[in-house]
Structure formats: structure tokens, C-alpha cells
């Protein structure tokens, strides 16, 4: 028997399988579960337990920004421009959102 606390988490949490590896995306903001206004700008924490992750990673998600405001790591016309799988997973929930790694080099 699964207790109600495990069926309905207190905070939003997503278990991810990205490129054959597992990770956890979560927020400490419980309003993301019940208030659409909280989805404007918010933080998600990402942990994957791999050696590449040397410190905790906090991502800032902005669901109302414009594509021309996004911090460009490479020229958009560059054939080598690739989006990290974590960002693509986040955009399955919030299409068009910009993701800031807050100074951390994308490692996944």
C-alpha cells in the first residue's frame, strides 16, 4: 500500500531518463503544483549523480521570455549548436521556455 504522500508529492519532482542516464529535476516551490502564475520565472534543481556534476545545479526557467532574449552560447546559424537534453526535457512541459544554467557549464 502506497501512502498518499508518495502518490501526491508536496513539491514538483520529475525523474528523467536522458541519453540512457537518469536524473532528477525538482523545485522546492510547491506553488508550481497549484498556481499557474508561479510558472512565470522559477528555479529547478537538477541532480544526476554522475562525475560530470561537480556541484549542485540550479536552473532558472523563464516561460515568458522571447527567443531573442535567450543567452546564446553559439551563433544560432552554427551547425554545431545543440541544446542540452535537460533543456529539451524541460521544454516538453514548458514549450519555448528559456533555461539559464546560472553560470554552470551544461554538463549533461
Amino acid at each position: 500500500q502506497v501512502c498518499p504522500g508518495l502518490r501526491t508529492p508536496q513539491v514538483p519532482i520529475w525523474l528523467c531518463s536522458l541519453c540512457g542516464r537518469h536524473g532528477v529535476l525538482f523545485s522546492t516551490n510547491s506553488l508550481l503544483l497549484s498556481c499557474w502564475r508561479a510558472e512565470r520565472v522559477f528555479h529547478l534543481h537538477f541532480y544526476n549523480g554522475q562525475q560530470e556534476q561537480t556541484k549542485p545545479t540550479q536552473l532558472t526557467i523563464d516561460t515568458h521570455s522571447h527567443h531573442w532574449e535567450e543567452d546564446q552560447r553559439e551563433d544560432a546559424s552554427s551547425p554545431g549548436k545543440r541544446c542540452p537534453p535537460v533543456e529539451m526535457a524541460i521544454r516538453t512541459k514548458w514549450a519555448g521556455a528559456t533555461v539559464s544554467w546560472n553560470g554552470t557549464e551544461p554538463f549533461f
Side-chain angles (χ1 to χ4, degrees), residues 20-98:
R21 294 193 272 172
H22 297 87
V24 176
L25 274 169
F26 70 94
S27 175
T28 56
N29 182 359
S30 61
L31 288 177
L32 282 176
L33 293 171
S34 60
C35 179
W36 61 269
R37 292 181 185 178
E39 293 185 1
R40 168 66 169 89
V41 176
F42 57 94
H43 300 288
L44 290 178
H45 302 274
F46 177 66
Y47 292 97
N48 70 350
Q50 301 294 320
Q51 292 178 355
E52 298 90 11
Q53 186 171 8
T54 58
K55 61 181 182 176
T57 303
Q58 183 181 46
L59 307 173
T60 301
I61 315 302
D62 186 347
T63 60
H64 287 81
S65 63
H66 303 288
H67 65 86
W68 57 83
E69 295 172 345
E70 185 177 8
D71 180 28
Q72 299 293 323
R73 288 185 289 278
E74 293 182 33
D75 180 15
S77 63
S78 170
K81 179 168 171 73
R82 294 178 28 170
C83 184
V86 173
E87 291 183 27
M88 293 189 316
I90 290 168
R91 289 186 183 117
T92 63
K93 170 87 172 131
W94 296 283
T98 58

